[in-house]
Amino acid sequence: MAGLFERTPDGSAAIALEEVEAAILRSLEVQMLELIGPGPAGAPGAETDPLAALFTEGPTEAPADPALARLFPNAYGEPGTAADPGTKAAAGEFRRYTEPDLRHRKREDALLVIRSLDTLGGDGGVLRPGPEECPRWLGALNDLRLTLGVRLEVTEEDEQGLYDLPDSDERKPLVMAYLWLGAMQESLLEAMTG
């Protein structure tokens, strides 16, 4: 897939997407919204009422889903190791007060990408996210890539092997999306830093 970002003369970025590329990216972002979820459970109005959102507390335990755990990691302790009670308590307290905002930001970034893609209609076209939108696009692309990486169980050692998968491998479509998102992310970063 050729859809990559390029720097524009005004210092922003632009990406030309074919219809199929826009549809794939939109589908992935919709799935990201479903994975992240609607927001804090048991906090009526927290999504629309800024005052209620200030007092919304999040969970104290890391998500059981490995992809969500990668998107919302513990702030304290070493990943993959059992934490002592003090570290676990500190991580839980930090998560309780920060995860709702982080989830909200990730949802908003995914929605920004979806809304941008919706402006293309059904034929594809060129998107030009402004300077304030580029970091949000970068975050949304990163979230997708991290999630696919977890689902594919990608490690640094075997990332190169992803290029050599046979077409018969059932992971091939997800691997292609993972590699494309990585290239898109890299091209956006290069466009942003000029």
Side-chain angles (χ1 to χ4, degrees):
M1 293 183 190
L4 299 176
F5 284 92
E6 295 180 11
R7 188 169 176 81
T8 60
D10 68 352
S12 191
I15 185 169
L17 293 170
E18 295 177 6
E19 178 182 357
V20 68
E21 293 170 325
I24 290 169
L25 186 54
R26 187 182 193 290
S27 175
L28 290 171
E29 289 295 357
V30 168
Q31 291 175 56
M32 178 59 63
L33 286 174
E34 291 170 0
L35 178 67
I36 293 171
E47 287 296 305
T48 56
D49 180 1
L51 185 58
L54 284 175
F55 295 103
T56 300
E57 292 184 6
T60 57
E61 295 290 326
D65 182 323
L68 284 173
R70 183 70 174 101
L71 293 174
F72 306 106
N74 278 330
Y76 301 100
E78 291 297 318
T81 62
D84 64 77
T87 301
K88 188 173 180 178
E93 278 298 293
F94 188 83
R95 177 179 298 282
R96 184 169 76 170
Y97 293 112
T98 60
E99 189 171 311
D101 287 339
L102 186 56
R103 280 183 183 268
H104 177 76
R105 183 182 56 82
K106 289 181 182 300
R107 273 193 303 278
E108 290 301 310
D109 290 350
L111 282 170
L112 172 79
V113 172
I114 291 168
R115 289 179 183 133
S116 298
L117 293 167
D118 287 348
T119 66
L120 294 178
D123 298 328
V126 177
L127 290 174
R128 292 178 177 84
E132 68 286 344
E133 294 175 328
C134 284
R136 295 179 63 195
W137 266 81
L138 193 61
L141 293 173
N142 188 57
D143 290 343
L144 286 174
R145 190 159 187 271
L146 287 173
T147 300
L148 284 176
V150 169
R151 295 291 191 238
L152 291 166
E153 299 178 349
V154 174
T155 64
E156 286 183 36
E157 295 81 35
D158 67 7
E159 189 165 327
Q160 185 60 37
L162 296 177
Y163 291 95
D164 301 325
L165 281 180
D167 290 341
S168 60
D169 192 310
E170 65 184 25
R171 299 173 297 159
K172 186 78 173 205
L174 287 180
V175 167
M176 296 300 292
Y178 174 81
L179 296 172
W180 176 51
L181 289 168
M184 196 186 313
Q185 197 177 359
E186 184 177 339
S187 69
L188 178 55
L189 193 55
E190 288 174 1
M192 289 169 62
T193 58

mmCIF file of all heavy atoms in Angstrom, residues 22-57:
data_model
loop_
_atom_site.group_PDB
_atom_site.id
_atom_site.type_symbol
_atom_site.label_atom_id
_atom_site.label_comp_id
_atom_site.label_asym_id
_atom_site.label_seq_id
_atom_site.Cartn_x
_atom_site.Cartn_y
_atom_site.Cartn_z
ATOM 1 N N ALA A 22 -8.228 3.908 2.581
ATOM 2 C CA ALA A 22 -9.058 4.677 3.508
ATOM 3 C C ALA A 22 -10.032 3.758 4.243
ATOM 4 O O ALA A 22 -10.242 3.905 5.454
ATOM 5 C CB ALA A 22 -9.802 5.774 2.756
ATOM 6 N N ALA A 23 -10.606 2.787 3.528
ATOM 7 C CA ALA A 23 -11.557 1.864 4.151
ATOM 8 C C ALA A 23 -10.874 0.983 5.193
ATOM 9 O O ALA A 23 -11.429 0.744 6.272
ATOM 10 C CB ALA A 23 -12.224 1.009 3.075
ATOM 11 N N ILE A 24 -9.676 0.504 4.888
ATOM 12 C CA ILE A 24 -8.941 -0.335 5.851
ATOM 13 C C ILE A 24 -8.588 0.473 7.092
ATOM 14 O O ILE A 24 -8.798 0.025 8.221
ATOM 15 C CB ILE A 24 -7.674 -0.929 5.200
ATOM 16 C CG1 ILE A 24 -8.063 -1.981 4.168
ATOM 17 C CG2 ILE A 24 -6.743 -1.521 6.254
ATOM 18 C CD1 ILE A 24 -6.916 -2.445 3.288
ATOM 19 N N LEU A 25 -8.053 1.674 6.895
ATOM 20 C CA LEU A 25 -7.664 2.507 8.033
ATOM 21 C C LEU A 25 -8.887 2.858 8.876
ATOM 22 O O LEU A 25 -8.837 2.808 10.114
ATOM 23 C CB LEU A 25 -6.947 3.764 7.551
ATOM 24 C CG LEU A 25 -6.362 4.663 8.615
ATOM 25 C CD1 LEU A 25 -5.421 3.901 9.549
ATOM 26 C CD2 LEU A 25 -5.628 5.836 7.962
ATOM 27 N N ARG A 26 -9.991 3.187 8.238
ATOM 28 C CA ARG A 26 -11.215 3.521 8.968
ATOM 29 C C ARG A 26 -11.692 2.308 9.777
ATOM 30 O O ARG A 26 -12.052 2.430 10.945
ATOM 31 C CB ARG A 26 -12.308 3.979 8.010
ATOM 32 C CG ARG A 26 -13.534 4.496 8.733
ATOM 33 C CD ARG A 26 -14.635 4.908 7.771
ATOM 34 N NE ARG A 26 -15.652 5.662 8.452
ATOM 35 C CZ ARG A 26 -16.510 5.164 9.335
ATOM 36 N NH1 ARG A 26 -16.453 3.893 9.680
ATOM 37 N NH2 ARG A 26 -17.408 5.939 9.908
ATOM 38 N N SER A 27 -11.686 1.130 9.149
ATOM 39 C CA SER A 27 -12.111 -0.085 9.838
ATOM 40 C C SER A 27 -11.237 -0.368 11.058
ATOM 41 O O SER A 27 -11.746 -0.722 12.135
ATOM 42 C CB SER A 27 -12.065 -1.273 8.874
ATOM 43 O OG SER A 27 -12.351 -2.468 9.551
ATOM 44 N N LEU A 28 -9.931 -0.197 10.916
ATOM 45 C CA LEU A 28 -9.026 -0.425 12.040
ATOM 46 C C LEU A 28 -9.299 0.555 13.174
ATOM 47 O O LEU A 28 -9.280 0.177 14.353
ATOM 48 C CB LEU A 28 -7.571 -0.328 11.579
ATOM 49 C CG LEU A 28 -7.076 -1.460 10.683
ATOM 50 C CD1 LEU A 28 -5.697 -1.119 10.112
ATOM 51 C CD2 LEU A 28 -7.029 -2.769 11.445
ATOM 52 N N GLU A 29 -9.560 1.813 12.834
ATOM 53 C CA GLU A 29 -9.835 2.812 13.879
ATOM 54 C C GLU A 29 -11.168 2.541 14.575
ATOM 55 O O GLU A 29 -11.292 2.737 15.783
ATOM 56 C CB GLU A 29 -9.805 4.233 13.304
ATOM 57 C CG GLU A 29 -8.422 4.723 12.936
ATOM 58 C CD GLU A 29 -7.460 4.900 14.103
ATOM 59 O OE1 GLU A 29 -7.845 4.704 15.286
ATOM 60 O OE2 GLU A 29 -6.305 5.247 13.837
ATOM 61 N N VAL A 30 -12.171 2.079 13.822
ATOM 62 C CA VAL A 30 -13.448 1.721 14.446
ATOM 63 C C VAL A 30 -13.232 0.558 15.415
ATOM 64 O O VAL A 30 -13.767 0.553 16.536
ATOM 65 C CB VAL A 30 -14.506 1.383 13.377
ATOM 66 C CG1 VAL A 30 -15.737 0.720 13.991
ATOM 67 C CG2 VAL A 30 -14.916 2.649 12.618
ATOM 68 N N GLN A 31 -12.431 -0.413 15.006
ATOM 69 C CA GLN A 31 -12.127 -1.532 15.903
ATOM 70 C C GLN A 31 -11.360 -1.055 17.136
ATOM 71 O O GLN A 31 -11.550 -1.588 18.234
ATOM 72 C CB GLN A 31 -11.328 -2.596 15.158
ATOM 73 C CG GLN A 31 -12.151 -3.318 14.101
ATOM 74 C CD GLN A 31 -11.325 -4.282 13.294
ATOM 75 O OE1 GLN A 31 -10.689 -5.167 13.862
ATOM 76 N NE2 GLN A 31 -11.321 -4.120 11.986
ATOM 77 N N MET A 32 -10.512 -0.050 16.966
ATOM 78 C CA MET A 32 -9.787 0.517 18.109
ATOM 79 C C MET A 32 -10.778 1.138 19.087
ATOM 80 O O MET A 32 -10.653 0.957 20.305
ATOM 81 C CB MET A 32 -8.772 1.558 17.631
ATOM 82 C CG MET A 32 -8.013 2.239 18.755
ATOM 83 S SD MET A 32 -7.076 1.120 19.820
ATOM 84 C CE MET A 32 -5.924 0.453 18.659
ATOM 85 N N LEU A 33 -11.764 1.862 18.579
ATOM 86 C CA LEU A 33 -12.782 2.444 19.454
ATOM 87 C C LEU A 33 -13.518 1.365 20.231
ATOM 88 O O LEU A 33 -13.787 1.521 21.423
ATOM 89 C CB LEU A 33 -13.788 3.263 18.641
ATOM 90 C CG LEU A 33 -13.308 4.604 18.125
ATOM 91 C CD1 LEU A 33 -14.371 5.228 17.224
ATOM 92 C CD2 LEU A 33 -12.959 5.543 19.265
ATOM 93 N N GLU A 34 -13.832 0.270 19.561
ATOM 94 C CA GLU A 34 -14.517 -0.835 20.232
ATOM 95 C C GLU A 34 -13.630 -1.455 21.305
ATOM 96 O O GLU A 34 -14.108 -1.815 22.378
ATOM 97 C CB GLU A 34 -14.938 -1.893 19.211
ATOM 98 C CG GLU A 34 -16.039 -1.408 18.282
ATOM 99 C CD GLU A 34 -16.292 -2.350 17.120
ATOM 100 O OE1 GLU A 34 -15.616 -3.396 17.015
ATOM 101 O OE2 GLU A 34 -17.174 -2.034 16.302
ATOM 102 N N LEU A 35 -12.340 -1.576 21.022
ATOM 103 C CA LEU A 35 -11.409 -2.146 21.993
ATOM 104 C C LEU A 35 -11.268 -1.247 23.217
ATOM 105 O O LEU A 35 -11.319 -1.714 24.354
ATOM 106 C CB LEU A 35 -10.036 -2.363 21.344
ATOM 107 C CG LEU A 35 -8.933 -2.903 22.258
ATOM 108 C CD1 LEU A 35 -9.246 -4.333 22.685
ATOM 109 C CD2 LEU A 35 -7.587 -2.834 21.553
ATOM 110 N N ILE A 36 -11.102 0.034 22.987
ATOM 111 C CA ILE A 36 -10.914 0.988 24.094
ATOM 112 C C ILE A 36 -12.173 1.086 24.948
ATOM 113 O O ILE A 36 -12.102 1.217 26.162
ATOM 114 C CB ILE A 36 -10.494 2.374 23.568
ATOM 115 C CG1 ILE A 36 -9.099 2.293 22.953
ATOM 116 C CG2 ILE A 36 -10.535 3.419 24.664
ATOM 117 C CD1 ILE A 36 -8.679 3.542 22.212
ATOM 118 N N GLY A 37 -13.324 1.012 24.318
ATOM 119 C CA GLY A 37 -14.577 1.058 25.053
ATOM 120 C C GLY A 37 -15.155 2.456 25.135
ATOM 121 O O GLY A 37 -14.515 3.443 24.768
ATOM 122 N N PRO A 38 -16.373 2.543 25.655
ATOM 123 C CA PRO A 38 -17.111 3.801 25.641
ATOM 124 C C PRO A 38 -16.681 4.816 26.696
ATOM 125 O O PRO A 38 -17.029 5.973 26.604
ATOM 126 C CB PRO A 38 -18.547 3.367 25.887
ATOM 127 C CG PRO A 38 -18.407 2.126 26.701
ATOM 128 C CD PRO A 38 -17.158 1.448 26.196
ATOM 129 N N GLY A 39 -15.966 4.404 27.682
ATOM 130 C CA GLY A 39 -15.574 5.353 28.721
ATOM 131 C C GLY A 39 -15.765 4.740 30.086
ATOM 132 O O GLY A 39 -16.065 3.562 30.224
ATOM 133 N N PRO A 40 -15.605 5.560 31.114
ATOM 134 C CA PRO A 40 -15.688 5.049 32.481
ATOM 135 C C PRO A 40 -17.051 4.442 32.774
ATOM 136 O O PRO A 40 -18.072 5.085 32.583
ATOM 137 C CB PRO A 40 -15.451 6.282 33.349
ATOM 138 C CG PRO A 40 -14.931 7.335 32.447
ATOM 139 C CD PRO A 40 -15.350 6.987 31.063
ATOM 140 N N ALA A 41 -17.058 3.212 33.214
ATOM 141 C CA ALA A 41 -18.306 2.547 33.593
ATOM 142 C C ALA A 41 -18.790 3.102 34.918
ATOM 143 O O ALA A 41 -17.997 3.384 35.816
ATOM 144 C CB ALA A 41 -18.086 1.046 33.703
ATOM 145 N N GLY A 42 -20.073 3.282 35.028
ATOM 146 C CA GLY A 42 -20.647 3.735 36.289
ATOM 147 C C GLY A 42 -20.424 5.208 36.555
ATOM 148 O O GLY A 42 -20.598 5.663 37.667
ATOM 149 N N ALA A 43 -20.041 5.948 35.549
ATOM 150 C CA ALA A 43 -19.845 7.384 35.718
ATOM 151 C C ALA A 43 -20.760 8.116 34.743
ATOM 152 O O ALA A 43 -20.328 8.611 33.717
ATOM 153 C CB ALA A 43 -18.392 7.762 35.477
ATOM 154 N N PRO A 44 -22.077 8.162 35.045
ATOM 155 C CA PRO A 44 -23.008 8.786 34.119
ATOM 156 C C PRO A 44 -22.646 10.239 33.864
ATOM 157 O O PRO A 44 -22.345 10.996 34.780
ATOM 158 C CB PRO A 44 -24.367 8.667 34.804
ATOM 159 C CG PRO A 44 -24.129 8.113 36.158
ATOM 160 C CD PRO A 44 -22.692 7.717 36.263
ATOM 161 N N GLY A 45 -22.629 10.602 32.606
ATOM 162 C CA GLY A 45 -22.350 11.985 32.240
ATOM 163 C C GLY A 45 -20.886 12.345 32.199
ATOM 164 O O GLY A 45 -20.532 13.446 31.806
ATOM 165 N N ALA A 46 -20.000 11.452 32.582
ATOM 166 C CA ALA A 46 -18.581 11.789 32.628
ATOM 167 C C ALA A 46 -18.029 12.112 31.249
ATOM 168 O O ALA A 46 -17.083 12.876 31.128
ATOM 169 C CB ALA A 46 -17.777 10.651 33.258
ATOM 170 N N GLU A 47 -18.639 11.527 30.216
ATOM 171 C CA GLU A 47 -18.157 11.786 28.856
ATOM 172 C C GLU A 47 -18.574 13.165 28.363
ATOM 173 O O GLU A 47 -17.917 13.737 27.517
ATOM 174 C CB GLU A 47 -18.685 10.710 27.895
ATOM 175 C CG GLU A 47 -18.002 9.384 28.076
ATOM 176 C CD GLU A 47 -16.521 9.441 27.752
ATOM 177 O OE1 GLU A 47 -16.165 9.864 26.645
ATOM 178 O OE2 GLU A 47 -15.725 9.057 28.603
ATOM 179 N N THR A 48 -19.687 13.692 28.858
ATOM 180 C CA THR A 48 -20.183 14.964 28.350
ATOM 181 C C THR A 48 -20.079 16.100 29.367
ATOM 182 O O THR A 48 -20.088 17.252 28.977
ATOM 183 C CB THR A 48 -21.659 14.825 27.917
ATOM 184 O OG1 THR A 48 -22.434 14.346 29.021
ATOM 185 C CG2 THR A 48 -21.782 13.866 26.748
ATOM 186 N N ASP A 49 -20.001 15.787 30.628
ATOM 187 C CA ASP A 49 -19.949 16.807 31.672
ATOM 188 C C ASP A 49 -18.511 16.964 32.155
ATOM 189 O O ASP A 49 -17.963 16.067 32.800
ATOM 190 C CB ASP A 49 -20.855 16.399 32.835
ATOM 191 C CG ASP A 49 -20.866 17.417 33.969
ATOM 192 O OD1 ASP A 49 -20.182 18.456 33.866
ATOM 193 O OD2 ASP A 49 -21.563 17.163 34.974
ATOM 194 N N PRO A 50 -17.872 18.109 31.845
ATOM 195 C CA PRO A 50 -16.472 18.288 32.246
ATOM 196 C C PRO A 50 -16.257 18.205 33.756
ATOM 197 O O PRO A 50 -15.234 17.699 34.201
ATOM 198 C CB PRO A 50 -16.117 19.689 31.732
ATOM 199 C CG PRO A 50 -17.172 20.037 30.744
ATOM 200 C CD PRO A 50 -18.383 19.237 31.096
ATOM 201 N N LEU A 51 -17.207 18.658 34.553
ATOM 202 C CA LEU A 51 -17.065 18.588 36.005
ATOM 203 C C LEU A 51 -17.118 17.137 36.482
ATOM 204 O O LEU A 51 -16.303 16.721 37.308
ATOM 205 C CB LEU A 51 -18.156 19.414 36.698
ATOM 206 C CG LEU A 51 -18.048 19.526 38.211
ATOM 207 C CD1 LEU A 51 -16.705 20.135 38.612
ATOM 208 C CD2 LEU A 51 -19.189 20.339 38.770
ATOM 209 N N ALA A 52 -18.048 16.358 35.927
ATOM 210 C CA ALA A 52 -18.128 14.937 36.291
ATOM 211 C C ALA A 52 -16.851 14.217 35.870
ATOM 212 O O ALA A 52 -16.357 13.345 36.591
ATOM 213 C CB ALA A 52 -19.345 14.291 35.638
ATOM 214 N N ALA A 53 -16.301 14.597 34.736
ATOM 215 C CA ALA A 53 -15.072 13.953 34.256
ATOM 216 C C ALA A 53 -13.906 14.192 35.211
ATOM 217 O O ALA A 53 -13.044 13.330 35.366
ATOM 218 C CB ALA A 53 -14.723 14.454 32.858
ATOM 219 N N LEU A 54 -13.885 15.363 35.866
ATOM 220 C CA LEU A 54 -12.808 15.665 36.809
ATOM 221 C C LEU A 54 -12.797 14.705 37.992
ATOM 222 O O LEU A 54 -11.749 14.429 38.562
ATOM 223 C CB LEU A 54 -12.940 17.095 37.334
ATOM 224 C CG LEU A 54 -12.524 18.211 36.401
ATOM 225 C CD1 LEU A 54 -12.842 19.561 37.032
ATOM 226 C CD2 LEU A 54 -11.048 18.120 36.085
ATOM 227 N N PHE A 55 -13.976 14.203 38.362
ATOM 228 C CA PHE A 55 -14.078 13.368 39.542
ATOM 229 C C PHE A 55 -14.239 11.886 39.215
ATOM 230 O O PHE A 55 -14.476 11.077 40.101
ATOM 231 C CB PHE A 55 -15.241 13.846 40.418
ATOM 232 C CG PHE A 55 -15.003 15.225 40.962
ATOM 233 C CD1 PHE A 55 -15.648 16.319 40.419
ATOM 234 C CD2 PHE A 55 -14.090 15.436 41.980
ATOM 235 C CE1 PHE A 55 -15.403 17.593 40.891
ATOM 236 C CE2 PHE A 55 -13.837 16.713 42.466
ATOM 237 C CZ PHE A 55 -14.500 17.795 41.918
ATOM 238 N N THR A 56 -14.096 11.547 37.954
ATOM 239 C CA THR A 56 -14.203 10.155 37.549
ATOM 240 C C THR A 56 -12.914 9.431 37.901
ATOM 241 O O THR A 56 -11.826 9.895 37.600
ATOM 242 C CB THR A 56 -14.456 10.051 36.031
ATOM 243 O OG1 THR A 56 -15.664 10.730 35.732
ATOM 244 C CG2 THR A 56 -14.543 8.613 35.588
ATOM 245 N N GLU A 57 -13.070 8.306 38.536
ATOM 246 C CA GLU A 57 -11.911 7.489 38.870
ATOM 247 C C GLU A 57 -11.893 6.276 37.963
ATOM 248 O O GLU A 57 -12.934 5.721 37.617
ATOM 249 C CB GLU A 57 -11.957 7.053 40.337
ATOM 250 C CG GLU A 57 -11.762 8.200 41.288
ATOM 251 C CD GLU A 57 -11.721 7.748 42.735
ATOM 252 O OE1 GLU A 57 -11.724 6.531 42.997
ATOM 253 O OE2 GLU A 57 -11.684 8.622 43.608
#
